[in-house]
Amino acid sequence: QVQLVESGGGLVQAGGSLRLSCAASGTSFSLGTMGWHRQAPGNQRELVARIWSRGSTIYADSVKGRFTISRDNAKNTVYLQMNSLKPEDTAVYYCFAAYGSESYWGQGTQVTVSS
């Protein structure tokens, strides 16, 4: 059974930082894609960042220069370093992992940025 378990969310003041982690178990995603999406109340889920197996990355325009995605294939884990956080970054952040035709989501972790 594949599981993605996120951690690291919480409450932070604007301008602060958080680091999210997502540990995968049940299968290896070392050759697959991993990433983060987020969903704020009343909004659709949106891509935040994604990283491919060889390290290529993409970011949403709204987080470029502030967020950094990375992965540790030996630990089957993806990270999201979030700096210079803004109130509009408040959302539930979901980890994503895919390999071949299979894709999986974590349960989500709340990030709240106060002004």
Side-chain angles (χ1 to χ4, degrees), residues 29-107:
F29 291 101
S30 62
L31 297 180
T33 303
M34 302 184 81
W36 296 90
H37 292 233
R38 68 186 181 186
Q39 188 168 17
N43 292 353
Q44 291 186 332
R45 191 174 297 191
E46 62 176 4
L47 171 71
V48 176
R50 185 169 291 190
I51 184 167
W52 278 264
S53 59
R54 295 191 177 187
S56 299
T57 59
I58 58 170
Y59 294 91
D61 287 343
S62 59
V63 306
K64 284 181 181 177
R66 300 188 297 122
F67 291 11
T68 302
I69 189 170
S70 60
R71 63 191 293 170
D72 184 335
N73 289 333
K75 296 182 178 180
N76 219 17
T77 298
V78 63
Y79 306 96
L80 186 68
Q81 178 66 44
M82 305 186 293
N83 298 329
S84 302
L85 282 160
K86 304 176 181 180
E88 50 263 43
D89 294 318
T90 295
V92 177
Y93 284 69
Y94 296 92
C95 174
F96 167 90
Y99 181 61
S101 61
E102 301 295 324
S103 61
Y104 305 90
W105 293 91
Q107 81 287 353

